Each structure stands twice: as C-alpha cells, then as structure tokens.
Amino acid sequence: MLILVTGGAGFIGSQVVGALVEAGHEVRVLDLRFPEPPQFPPGVAFVRGDVRDRAVVEEALHTVDAVCHQAAMVGLGRDFDDAPAYVGCNDLATTVLLSAMARLQVNELVLAGSMVYYGEGRYDCAHHGTVRPGPRRVADLDAGRFEPVCPRCGDPLTPRLVPEDAPPDPRNVYAATKVAQEHLATAWARATGGRAVALRYHNVYGPGMPRDTPYAGVASLFRSALARGEPPRVFEDGGQRRDFIHVRDVAAANLTALGAVGAAIPDGTLRAYNVGSGSPHTVGEMATALSAACRGPEPVVTGEYRLGDVRHITASSSRLREELGWLPRVPFADGMREFAKAPLRGTGTAPG
C-alpha cells in the first residue's frame, strides 16, 4: 500500500513512518517542516506544505491507498487566544483533507484522536453508580480540593476506566477540536462510503518529543526541566491519574489500524479505539520515575493548576486488543529509563 502520513515529520508521525516502512509499505509524508537532519527512512517521499492548502493536499494524495492523519496542533496551549490556531490547524485542515480524499476517492483513513475526547474520566459514586462530575470550580481548586465529587450527593468518587462508547465531554479548546475531527471523519465516511479508524491516544511519550514548549505533553515538560538541572514542577497534588503510552506502541497501533481499516471496518463507518498501556500512573509517579532515571532533582509539587485540565482520565484499551490484536510492548519503567536519556527535538506546536 501507498500511505500518506500527514504530520509525518513530527514526534508521533515520524515513528509511524518508520513502522510503516519496516512493515513493507510505501510512504509519502506531508508536513510543513522538513526535519534537519532528515529523519525519514530511504524511499520515503516528502511533500512540504500545509494540510489547509487544497492544492498541496491533492498533490500529496495522488495514487494514495490510505491516509494516516497525524498533523495537529496539540496540548492545552497558553490561553483562549490560541483557539483560532487550534481550529485552523485541526478542524479546517481535517476538512480540507477529507474533501480532497472524497474527490480523489481515497477511502481509508486512520485519524490521530485523543483521550481528551472524554474530558473527565469515568467515576463511580457509592450511592449513585456511574456519574459525570461537572466542570471543576476555581474556588475548589484554589482551596486545594482537586478531586471531583458526586454532583448529586457530594461524596467522593472512585475513578474507573473509560470505554469508547462514553459520550464526548471536551473541557478545553484542543479537546473540542479533537472531538470535531472525529465527527468530520464520521460525516466523510457516511457520505463517501469510506472507512475510518480513530485512535484515541493517551499520554504519549518517548524519544523525539518537542522540548520547552507549553504545547507538549507533561512528560516533555518534566524532561526539559531535568535537562536544565531543574526539578519537575508537578501541578495540583500530583495525584492526577493518566496512562503513559510509549510512542513506539502508538506507532504499532497505527500500523495495526491501517491493516484493519480496509478489512474489519464496514463501509461508511468510523470505529474508535483507545490507545493506552493499560497501566495507569499518577503524574507525580511519572515525575518521580523520570527524575530518578535522569538522576536529577526530585519533583516539586506546587499546588498550581490549569482550569482546562482534568483530574483523572484513563481509558480501557481492551477493544483494540480484542478486535485488532494490538498489545503495548514497552513497560512504564523501561520506557521512562529510555526517555531519560533520549534526545528531544526543537520546539513546535504540531508534533504530529
């Protein structure tokens, strides 16, 4: 197959490109940036351009069998002034890509989704079963009350794993654009008879993460601080639950999904899959593991918060394991030891 990887010069995208080439696929990359030095395996074609540019996208799609759409502006960002850039890079670009795919009759898509689709994770109340906590209140966060409570009785909640059929609940601009991407891809599939897989990534980390940027994941921010000889600054009380998944496992999930999209996914549909390690850890645990692996200063728990953050979000990846046979291969401890010594790349807002 000839596969177009948008954002293929980025953090996740470049790993996807390598996995596809190793599996014997032909690969073409569409990205605004050409990495220096070049990081593509031999034989990978490169088209430099913006996914919002219709002419460039149609050029990149010529004779393509499937698209792996990794290009995106990621992370929570600085403030709401970033909203137009997020919508342009994520939703407008996806619309341009999908419309070009429809014109050129490219019918298979793997979309880089995100666990931010769910907002706060799944919670159970001892009295009221599964409940959805409301938006976090500034007064509670200022007082150090970080844990959500039952919206009906106010009792503490127990965080659980989130299945793919949970309703969307985007809690920041980035999350809203990722939900919109899935809706756009679903509309494209229905209109064209195409087939799509949305891979909802959890907290991806690994070699090649962008450094020193507010748009990167928390693992990159901690790693950048340690590289400067500074302690990682852990927001809230460090008890936020996340699922840290190694970038090679994410690349393998993309390879698996591309193999399934033409065979296991019915025409005219989108199928979503969570992509996580299955072993949740707190942000504080991750900071401690990374500091130890770097032999750097211990983390500092600051009590600070970002209103757009969620407290706990960990999802079940059993659907991806059971339906497509994917399994994560990199244990948390091994991944953190590797990440502690791995090179980071320059700053950027669209690491793929």
Side-chain angles (χ1 to χ4, degrees):
M1 292 175 64
L2 173 57
I3 298 167
L4 174 66
V5 181
T6 70
F11 165 47
I12 297 174
S14 59
Q15 292 279 348
V16 171
V17 168
L20 292 172
V21 171
E22 186 175 348
H25 293 289
E26 294 182 77
V27 178
R28 184 181 298 153
V29 169
L30 171 59
D31 203 299
L32 269 173
R33 302 158 301 170
F34 189 79
E36 295 292 345
Q39 298 170 339
F40 303 127
V44 173
F46 179 75
V47 177
R48 184 171 186 174
D50 194 321
V51 185
R52 292 167 289 188
D53 187 325
R54 174 174 170 173
V56 170
V57 171
E58 291 194 353
E59 173 192 351
L61 282 171
H62 182 64
T63 71
V64 158
D65 298 302
V67 174
C68 189
H69 184 32
Q70 303 292 321
M73 183 172 178
V74 302
L76 184 56
R78 291 185 174 91
D79 52 42
F80 205 82
D81 281 346
D82 287 328
Y86 275 106
V87 173
C89 289
N90 297 354
D91 298 339
L92 175 59
T94 298
T95 307
V96 171
L97 173 66
L98 293 171
S99 63
M101 290 175 66
R103 285 192 299 273
L104 297 176
Q105 297 183 337
V106 179
N107 295 322
E108 297 182 11
L109 170 71
V110 173
L111 172 68
S114 175
M115 52 85 180
V116 297
Y117 180 98
Y118 305 112
E120 284 287 350
R122 174 180 171 176
Y123 294 86
D124 287 348
C125 171
H127 305 290
H128 298 106
T130 299
V131 297
R132 297 178 63 78
R136 304 173 83 187
R137 300 188 305 172
V138 170
D140 289 336
L141 298 171
D142 284 343
R145 295 189 294 268
F146 301 119
E147 293 289 344
V149 297
C150 177
R152 298 176 63 182
C153 67
D155 279 0
L157 298 173
T158 302
R160 303 295 189 192
L161 299 180
V162 184
E164 285 88 349
D165 58 2
D169 184 22
R171 303 244 170 156
N172 55 58
V173 171
Y174 170 61
T177 66
K178 298 307 287 183
V179 172
Q181 280 186 308
E182 288 198 27
H183 290 326
L184 290 165
T186 300
W188 162 82
R190 288 174 177 167
T192 66
R195 299 170 296 276
V197 168
L199 297 176
R200 294 173 182 165
Y201 303 157
H202 279 251
N203 291 73
V204 186
Y205 74 97
M209 286 194 82
R211 64 175 181 269
D212 298 323
T213 167
Y215 302 94
V218 66
S220 175
L221 298 178
F222 291 169
R223 174 72 169 73
S224 296
L226 288 162
R228 298 190 299 269
E230 301 170 3
R233 295 178 59 83
V234 179
F235 279 16
E236 301 184 19
D237 60 0
Q240 309 93 305
R241 283 165 51 92
R242 298 291 188 269
D243 189 330
F244 298 98
I245 178 78
H246 195 279
V247 67
R248 287 197 298 274
D249 286 332
V250 171
N254 277 270
L255 180 62
T256 299
L258 282 162
V261 69
I265 308 302
D267 293 354
T269 62
L270 176 144
R271 185 73 164 157
Y273 295 94
N274 294 323
V275 183
S277 71
S279 300
H281 291 82
T282 68
V283 172
E285 288 171 345
M286 189 272 286
T288 298
L290 194 56
S291 291
C294 289
R295 298 183 179 179
E298 293 185 358
V300 174
V301 178
T302 69
E304 298 171 90
Y305 64 87
R306 298 189 300 180
L307 192 59
D309 278 338
V310 298
R311 178 61 177 176
H312 304 299
I313 175 62
T314 56
S316 169
S317 300
S318 59
R319 177 186 288 182
L320 183 57
R321 299 177 188 220
E322 293 168 5
E323 292 187 3
L324 304 187
W326 170 88
L327 288 173
R329 304 292 183 186
V330 183
F332 176 79
D334 293 348
M336 285 297 155
R337 282 192 292 269
E338 178 198 24
F339 183 49
K341 302 176 177 62
L344 303 179
R345 65 173 63 199
T347 59
T349 61

